[in-house]
Amino acid sequence: MATSKTITPATGRRVTLASLRKAKGEGRRFAALTAYDASFAALEDAAGIEVILVGDSLGMVVQGHRSTIPVTMEHVVYHTALVARGAGSALVMGDMPFMSFATVDEARHNAARLMQEGGAEIVKLEGTGAQAETVEALSAQGIPVCAHLGLRPQAVHKVGAYKIQGREPEAAQALMEDAAALEQAGADMLLLECVPATLAKKITEQAQVPVIGIGAGVHCDGQILVLYDMLGITPGRRPSFSKDFLIDSGGIFAALQNYAEAVRSGTFPGPEHAFE
Ligand code: KIV
């Protein structure tokens, strides 16, 4: 059972897109983390995590699937509503699952569900420049969007494996162009997964909007991890870009605080958690 101390929001001030943009402008890093239920959302919020993502990673770490592809809108809406109830000041981001944004109309309908039924304050979708029209349409309706580039787990069967993206010069150039196109289309945030640290640094410098990294090196404006990976409870091998913060922290709340602090101070991710 959480103590009343642990569920007191750390700042009391709501995290907004404007406050994250300000943090980027001032060179202050911020911490993001996934959550799937109200209790963890409250703990993360109290530990000072600024952005809580209800990721479709729930398909793997909660539901036990081998990929995120079986996750449906119903699942994400349900878990987003749980998290939104627990989160205090953190920004709640809901993930658009596989094929939920295949057409612009579906994207509009499903993003609206995530916000109205789930209580998300921003939606995330995996994309390339090909999703620019969708991002523009959501943006035009006042729906904040985080565009997820690089390794896109929903495309695992097309790509062939969960592997680092943007290593070759042409692929790196394409990623930079995709990031610029999605920002131009109205994306309010970018998320880079498994890209070389030097490329992530260039994209972060090029972008006016905050850039969150996972397996993308220390130069992004913010970092995100899957909650169960950073607590060391995901079955199987932990991704090399992640770190078990529970092992040296003595408890879950301390692990969350130590993660937030390590991100802010730039001590996480270290070179051993990044790719070149
Ligand atoms: O679904 C998820 O948890 C994610 C993170 C890996 C960023 O997209």
Side-chain angles (χ1 to χ4, degrees):
M1 193 72 173
T3 67
S4 57
K5 179 169 166 275
T6 60
I7 58 168
T8 304
T11 63
R13 215 179 287 151
R14 287 205 71 82
V15 178
T16 61
L17 288 174
S19 66
L20 294 175
R21 262 189 194 251
K22 188 159 181 271
K24 178 182 176 95
E26 293 170 358
R28 280 185 287 114
R29 296 185 177 90
F30 59 90
L33 195 57
T34 68
Y36 314 97
D37 65 55
S39 296
F40 267 113
L43 270 188
E44 290 184 16
D45 187 83
I49 304 295
E50 280 101 338
V51 180
I52 303 181
L53 167 67
V54 188
D56 64 355
S57 51
L58 74 88
M60 297 171 85
V61 299
V62 176
Q63 298 173 332
H65 293 296
R66 290 165 67 92
S67 78
T68 58
I69 290 170
V71 176
T72 66
M73 271 311 294
E74 269 58 41
H75 299 153
V76 183
V77 167
Y78 173 76
H79 285 277
T80 304
L82 307 187
V83 166
R85 267 177 237 145
S89 53
L91 189 80
V92 175
M93 186 187 291
D95 215 355
M96 301 280 284
F98 182 63
M99 292 301 280
S100 65
F101 50 98
T103 66
V104 169
D105 278 348
E106 282 170 313
R108 264 194 293 253
H109 174 75
N110 288 322
R113 285 197 63 194
L114 265 183
M115 296 185 81
Q116 287 188 309
E117 298 171 45
E121 295 162 306
I122 178 168
V123 302
K124 174 169 87 58
L125 54 83
E126 294 182 13
T128 63
Q131 271 66 49
E133 189 193 349
T134 303
V135 171
E136 195 170 350
L138 295 181
S139 222
Q141 298 299 327
I143 298 175
V145 180
C146 172
H148 179 154
L149 300 122
L151 173 60
R152 292 174 293 121
Q154 291 170 14
V156 62
H157 296 312
K158 178 89 175 158
V159 177
Y162 295 106
K163 61 181 183 195
I164 181 163
Q165 302 293 309
R167 258 196 168 135
E168 302 76 23
E170 303 75 31
Q173 184 59 31
L175 260 175
M176 294 212 41
E177 287 169 12
D178 284 346
L182 290 164
E183 181 177 355
Q184 181 67 32
D188 299 277
M189 216 184 278
L190 303 177
L191 188 151
L192 300 176
E193 178 164 356
C194 289
V195 302
T198 45
L199 174 60
K201 182 170 189 280
K202 279 191 201 153
I203 294 176
T204 303
E205 286 167 356
Q206 152 189 290
Q208 301 299 306
V209 297
V211 178
I212 308 181
I214 175 165
V218 72
H219 300 292
C220 300
D221 303 306
Q223 297 291 330
I224 187 161
L225 286 178
V226 169
L227 171 66
Y228 293 10
D229 290 347
M230 64 77 76
L231 293 178
I233 57 174
T234 306
R237 246 185 59 224
R238 179 168 36 81
S240 62
F241 54 75
S242 187
K243 177 178 169 181
D244 181 348
F245 280 86
L246 182 58
I247 209 155
D248 296 322
S249 300
I252 290 175
F253 187 59
L256 298 174
Q257 286 181 309
N258 289 340
Y259 164 66
E261 178 47 35
V263 169
R264 280 189 203 115
S265 63
T267 54
F268 178 82
E272 70 278 26
H273 307 117
F275 304 107
E276 262 330 322

